């Protein structure tokens, strides 16, 4: 590690959000370029940088620093340059010259210790003098805080967040309880805080550590496994092993946290369980609101005779005749406050949805259609002709400052102004999103939930659709009949075969479901590449990137998304002198690449290319294409499927990944003309029947499985009962006849 003292002479690039800087530096023996995190990088400031020399292929030799300390100037010229840099608001070049001319080398001491003396300078009032002094002291405090936290691996960007929250007490607050950062600072998690606490000598059984660790463990169970609660005894044992403390310590702390309102303890279905407080509140709210909506008086639409006439009229208009089960689904859903329509592919869910919307139109019932993802909403609009939006957009999401995250504009205080709301792809809706939706519905609003209960459950916590159906409290109709046109598709036929535990029928002549047998992973990868590049585009006259989607159960390994994306990028969008690219970590992003957003970012700005409307929010699972890469300004521009044009800072590229291949979980709510999926050995917890079912049902025109028939059959046979802890079903049944 090398130390260099130098002065900033040029700002080549500076990111205000994370303080990443590329600056020209002046040293008595040389001028050079330094790169690293440097808050308030201004010309004239002198730093001692710690780092090493590295050679950038494009920009040459640079000094990459990982730590710094600021050296305040001690000469008249240096002090004047420092004050004139713009660092202290209210002091420009002329004022800086006047101050230094009056106080000389004592200037900085005067500003810090005798600020009112600045009023001796013409044009500086006592109030302005006090403001300048406060700004200078804040700068000194922040500089000390930044240097202090460097040894713990906290970047200046996070040091700035800490300082904004804790002010001059930042170091004291963090030293007393490093775990407070988890709650107060967005982006600092338990593991980071725990590592800092260990370096500070905080005891393993510290109350602060155990409390924070419990919340972290509960959060992991919710985020990774979808549990809204966990059995208390088992949780105490697992959390104790993770935190390396006793199970009794964990138990005692959970009881204290329950009194404090941080968690909720209760007996559910005969066992003691522990909830993160927000999931318990969400389950309570969802249960109560479903029952209220279900029992509220509804606006009249039609009696039995009128309903039959309406359906017959719509059948004549559309040329589609509904089956008896479909007619019953339409009429009974319209007669219920809350209803569920569930069924697999080809069972007519879309026909029912379209019929219901036409009835609403004719009867003057204001209705909204929504889905959990942009791709799903776009598909509804295309198939129904009615505008659909994401649930988030329907609820007018926005970002709340202060680390609180996403909020909805539509709430119980300002509800949605619709008489009916239809939500499609409800299997993807988690308990928190359902809570947000139901909170925004007035009593008397019809709520119709449409989905496939056999799909993979939501990524977020909860088991909303299945719990509602299995509670038998809310009216639900299950569609099982496959219609004539759908029966011609082996995709539909095989999806139902898989769901029943039967093996799919592959390679039927002139059909749409294929298995290309390959015995090893290397051959599977080669076949997938050839299918994408040559065979499928040529045979189906399709676009290799936009019409074909590779799906896989896993992220790692030769058949995981990481490796497949590298392989497919090389053949579908190879390097070219005409295409700029950006290396980020171990990935390369290139103009023309297909990418996916992999985390919700409620603050990321966009502009719609169709309406030029501006907004904020790009969501986990959104797919788009890289339009251009701007090295000079450090930005990557992408256009997403829903016409959102987004500019990413290079520092934000960990939020996206290549999307030539995606996991089956990420495909939920989407539909693709052609899907390709490897079938090989995968971990049994992933190579399951409903994962294969979900993958197959994402295809509109063609399914191609590549690999071993034995492994395909093993996936069909692997139908584990994976318990997802969720209390909504029990609550609905328990509170049905209880006062709310």
């Amino acid at each position: 590690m090398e130390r260099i003292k130098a002065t900033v002479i040029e700002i080549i690039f500076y990111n205000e959000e994370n303080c990443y800087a590329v600056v020209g530096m002046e040293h008595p023996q040389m001028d050079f370029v330094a790169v690293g995190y440097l808050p308030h990088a201004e010309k004239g400031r002198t730093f001692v940088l710690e780092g090493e020399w590295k050679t950038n292929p494009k920009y040459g030799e640079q000094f990459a620093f990982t730590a710094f300390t600021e050296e305040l100037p001690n000469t008249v010229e240096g002090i004047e340059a420092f004050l004139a840099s713009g660092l202290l608001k209210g002091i420009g070049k002329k004022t800086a010259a006047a101050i230094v001319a009056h106080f000389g080398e004592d200037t900085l001491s005067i500003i810090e210790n005798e600020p009112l003396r600045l009023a001796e300078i013409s044009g500086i009032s006592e109030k302005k003098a006090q403001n300048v002094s406060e700004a200078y002291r804040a700068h000194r405090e922040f500089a000390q805080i930044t240097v202090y936290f460097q040894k713990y691996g906290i970047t200046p960007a996070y040091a700035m967040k800490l300082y904004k929250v804790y002010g001059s007490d930042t170091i004291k607050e963090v030293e007393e309880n490093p775990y407070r950062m988890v709650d107060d600072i967005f982006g600092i998690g338990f593991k980071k805080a725990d590592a800092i606490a260990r370096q500070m000598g905080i005891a393993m059984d510290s109350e602060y550590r155990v409390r924070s660790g419990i919340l972290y463990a509960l959060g992991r169970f919710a985020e990774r496994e979808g549990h809204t609660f966990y059995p208390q005894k088992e949780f105490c044992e697992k959390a104790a092993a993770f935190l390396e403390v006793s199970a009794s310590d964990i138990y005692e702390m959970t009881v204290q946290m329950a009194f404090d309102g941080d968690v909720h303890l209760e007996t559910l279905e005969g066992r003691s369980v522990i909830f993160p407080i927000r999931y318990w509140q969400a389950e309570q709210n969802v249960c109560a609101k479903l029952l209220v909506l279900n029992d509220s008086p509804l606006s009249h639409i039609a009696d039995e005779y009128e309903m039959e006439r309406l359906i017959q009229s719509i059948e004549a208009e559309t040329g589609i005749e509904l089956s008896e089960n479909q007619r019953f689904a339409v009429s009974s859903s319209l007669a219920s406050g809350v209803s569920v329509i569930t069924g697999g592919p080809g069972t007519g869910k879309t026909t029912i949805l379209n019929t219901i919307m036409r009835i609403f139109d004719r009867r003057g019932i204001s209705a909204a259609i929504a889905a959990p993802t942009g791709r799903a909403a776009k598909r509804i609009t295309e198939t129904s002709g009615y505008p659909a939006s994401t649930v988030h957009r329907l609820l007018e999401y926005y970002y709340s400052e202060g680390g609180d995250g996403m909020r909805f504009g539509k709430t119980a205080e300002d509800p949605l102004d619709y008489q009916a709301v239809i939500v499609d792809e409800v299997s993807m809706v988690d308990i928190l999103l359902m809570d947000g939706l139901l909170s925004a519905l007035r009593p008397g609003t019809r709520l119709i939930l449409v989905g496939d209960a056999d799909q993979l459950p939501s990524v977020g916590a909860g088991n909303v659709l299945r719990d509602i159906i299995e509670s038998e409290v809310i009216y639900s109709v299950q569609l099982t009949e496959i219609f004539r046109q759908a029966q011609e598709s082996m995709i539909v036929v095989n999806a139902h075969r898989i769901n029943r535990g039967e093996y799919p029928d592959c390679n039927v002549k002139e059909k749409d479901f294929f298995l290309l047998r390959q015995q090893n992973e290397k051959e599977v990868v080669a076949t997938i590449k050839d299918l994408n590049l040559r065979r499928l585009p040529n045979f189906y006259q399709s676009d290799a990137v936009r019409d074909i989607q590779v799906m896989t159960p896993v992220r790692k390994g030769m058949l995981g998304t990481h490796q497949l994306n590298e392989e497919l990028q090389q053949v579908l969008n190879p390097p070219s002198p005409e295409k700029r690219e950006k290396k980020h970590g171990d990935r390369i992003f290139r103009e023309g690449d297909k990418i996916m957003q992999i985390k919700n970012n409620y603050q990321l700005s966009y502009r719609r290319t169709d309406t030029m409307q501006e907004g904020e929010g790009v969501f986990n699972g959104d797919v788009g294409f890289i339009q251009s890469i701007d090295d000079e300004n450090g930005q990557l521009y992408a256009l997403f499927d829903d016409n959102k044009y987004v500019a990413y800072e290079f520092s934000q590229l960990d939020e996206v990944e290549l999307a030539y291949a995606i996991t089956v979980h990420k495909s939920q709510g989407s539909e693709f003309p052609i899907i390709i999926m490897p079938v090989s050995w995968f971990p049994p917890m992933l190579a399951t029947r409903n994962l294969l079912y979900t993958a197959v049902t994402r295809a509109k025109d063609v399914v191609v499985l590549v690999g071993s028939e034995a492994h395909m059959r093993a996936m069909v046979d692997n139908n584990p009962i994976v318990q997802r802890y969720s209390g909504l079903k029990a609550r609905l049944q328990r509170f049905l006849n209880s006062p709310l």
Side-chain angles (χ1 to χ4, degrees), residues 62 73 77 91-92 149 158 166-167 175 185 187-188 191 242 311 348 437 511 546 615 618 674 697:
Q62 300 174 332
E77 295 79 13
I91 296 184
F149 283 116
Y158 280 107
Y166 306 127
E175 282 183 336
I185 310 299
I188 294 183
K191 287 190 173 181
F242 166 68
I311 291 174
L437 173 65
K511 291 293 184 179
R546 295 181 181 274
V618 181
I674 302 171
T697 57

Side-chain angles (χ1 to χ4, degrees), residues 447-496:
L447 175 63
I448 300 173
L449 305 174
V450 183
D452 184 348
D454 294 315
Q455 297 275 1
L456 291 170
S458 59
V459 175
N463 211 8
V464 174
L465 178 58
R466 189 172 290 277
D467 276 357
I468 290 174
I469 293 170
E470 292 183 355
S471 75
E472 298 183 350
V473 170
I474 303 300
Y475 172 78
S476 63
V477 57
Q478 184 171 11
L479 307 172
T480 55
E481 181 183 355
I482 305 175
F483 292 94
R484 187 181 308 160
Q485 186 176 359
Q487 287 176 344
E488 297 174 3
S489 167
M490 292 306 297
I491 296 174
V492 173
V493 171
N494 282 334
H496 287 272

Side-chain angles (χ1 to χ4, degrees), residues 50 208 221 250 319 396 407 500 659 662 680:
E50 295 183 34
Y208 296 131
F221 284 134
I250 300 294
E396 298 180 6
R407 291 286 182 269
R500 293 193 301 266
I662 62 175
S680 181

Side-chain angles (χ1 to χ4, degrees), residues 525-698:
V525 172
T527 301
I528 289 174
K529 288 164 66 175
D530 189 41
L531 285 166
N532 273 271
L533 183 64
R534 184 180 62 85
R535 293 167 65 177
L536 291 172
N538 290 345
F539 188 82
Y540 291 103
Q541 299 298 302
S542 58
D543 185 291
V545 178
R546 295 181 181 274
D547 296 335
I548 301 173
Q549 183 61 60
V550 176
M551 295 180 196
T552 177
V554 295
R555 296 180 61 83
K556 297 180 180 179
M558 187 176 288
L559 298 179
T561 54
H562 293 312
Q563 185 64 33
L564 284 174
N565 272 315
E566 286 186 17
E567 298 277 356
L568 292 167
Q569 184 189 45
Q570 285 300 309
V571 295
L572 298 176
N573 190 31
S576 165
E578 299 175 358
K579 293 182 178 179
R580 284 167 292 189
E581 57 185 49
K582 169 64 180 175
K583 191 173 190 302
H584 184 79
D586 59 353
R587 292 169 295 168
I588 293 174
F589 294 104
R590 187 173 295 128
E591 290 176 342
D593 273 337
K594 185 179 185 180
I595 59 171
M596 174 182 282
Q597 178 81 10
I598 58 172
K599 61 182 288 190
N600 291 334
N601 185 329
Y602 305 108
Q603 291 178 291
L604 193 56
S605 299
Y606 65 79
R607 186 184 74 249
R608 291 192 178 276
T609 56
D610 49 353
T611 64
M612 303 308 290
Q613 176 188 1
E614 294 184 350
E616 291 182 339
V618 181
F619 298 101
N620 187 359
D622 286 353
V623 174
F625 291 85
I626 297 175
Q627 303 296 296
S628 62
I629 295 173
D630 183 349
D631 287 314
E632 186 174 338
N633 292 307
Q635 291 185 314
L636 179 151
Y637 299 92
L639 181 64
F640 285 88
D641 281 347
D642 50 359
N643 297 311
K644 288 180 181 176
Y645 189 71
V646 176
Y648 289 94
E649 301 289 344
F650 284 168
S651 60
Q652 295 175 301
L653 293 182
D654 57 348
E655 295 187 13
V656 295
E657 61 184 26
L658 296 175
Y660 300 104
I662 62 175
T663 62
V664 177
H665 281 84
K666 291 287 189 184
S667 74
Q668 287 179 269
S670 300
E671 185 178 70
F672 308 95
I674 302 171
I675 71 116
I676 303 171
M677 179 175 159
V679 282
S680 181
W681 184 90
F682 296 114
M685 63 181 295
L686 293 174
T688 62
R689 179 187 300 174
N690 78 328
L691 183 135
L692 180 60
Y693 172 78
T694 300
V696 167
T697 57
R698 298 306 89 201

Side-chain angles (χ1 to χ4, degrees), residues 23-80:
V23 291
M25 304 293 289
E26 183 181 54
H27 182 271
Q29 298 176 352
M30 61 180 168
D31 291 349
F32 63 95
V33 173
V35 296
Y37 296 95
L38 192 68
H40 303 306
E42 287 99 6
K43 294 180 183 179
R45 293 179 65 186
T46 300
F47 298 92
V48 177
L49 306 176
E50 295 183 34
E52 57 187 27
W53 293 99
K54 292 186 177 180
T55 301
N56 183 293
K58 187 170 183 179
Y59 299 108
E61 193 172 45
Q62 300 174 332
F63 189 72
F65 62 92
T66 55
F68 68 89
T69 54
E70 182 175 8
E71 191 150 308
L72 291 175
N74 53 19
T75 66
V76 170
E77 295 79 13
I79 294 171
E80 184 176 337

Side-chain angles (χ1 to χ4, degrees), residues 87-105:
L87 181 67
L88 304 183
K89 191 175 180 181
I91 296 184
K93 290 183 179 180
K94 288 183 179 180
T95 306
I99 293 172
V100 174
H102 189 71
F103 296 113
E105 293 180 358

